[in-house]
Amino acid sequence: MFSKISVLATMALITLAAASPTNTPPVTPPTSPQCCSSVVSSTSSVASLVAALVGIDLSGLNVPIGLSCSPITVIGNNCGSTTVTCDAPEKEWGGLIAINCLPITL
């Protein structure tokens, strides 16, 4: 009986480990103008939570992270939030997060 429980517990831990985010995004020079609701450190708990939702791992990174971002496609677009240049966010992240966001100064 005890061995069955330990086997089930081990299988559950392996499943959780496999489901945890392990996709560390590469950090490249920012090239994509974005309008983000906020920019936080990659070490912040909010950034870690959002990154986990989209399946990426920010551990070991120390770059600014844009949250709730949308691309700026028109010159003079009134962002109303934080205007930054980021790594081009992956489409599967759904605009929730952008990596290496630096402020745009006009």
Side-chain angles (χ1 to χ4, degrees):
M1 172 83 174
F2 184 75
S3 65
K4 288 182 182 180
I5 293 173
S6 64
V7 168
L8 288 175
T10 302
M11 289 175 59
L13 288 174
I14 291 171
T15 302
L16 286 174
S20 66
T22 58
N23 182 15
T24 303
V27 177
T28 60
T31 58
S32 176
Q34 299 284 319
C35 180
C36 300
S37 65
S38 64
V39 177
V40 298
S41 169
S42 58
T43 59
S44 77
S45 59
V46 173
S48 296
L49 178 65
V50 173
L53 288 174
V54 296
I56 59 176
D57 180 14
L58 297 178
S59 61
L61 294 182
N62 190 13
V63 295
I65 302 295
L67 301 175
S68 297
C69 300
S70 59
I72 297 174
T73 56
V74 179
I75 303 287
N77 184 9
N78 185 7
C79 175
S81 293
T82 306
T83 307
V84 291
T85 302
C86 307
D87 288 356
E90 302 293 327
K91 289 181 181 171
E92 64 265 18
W93 298 348
L96 292 175
I97 193 167
I99 308 296
N100 198 22
C101 295
L102 302 175
I104 295 176
T105 53
L106 301 174

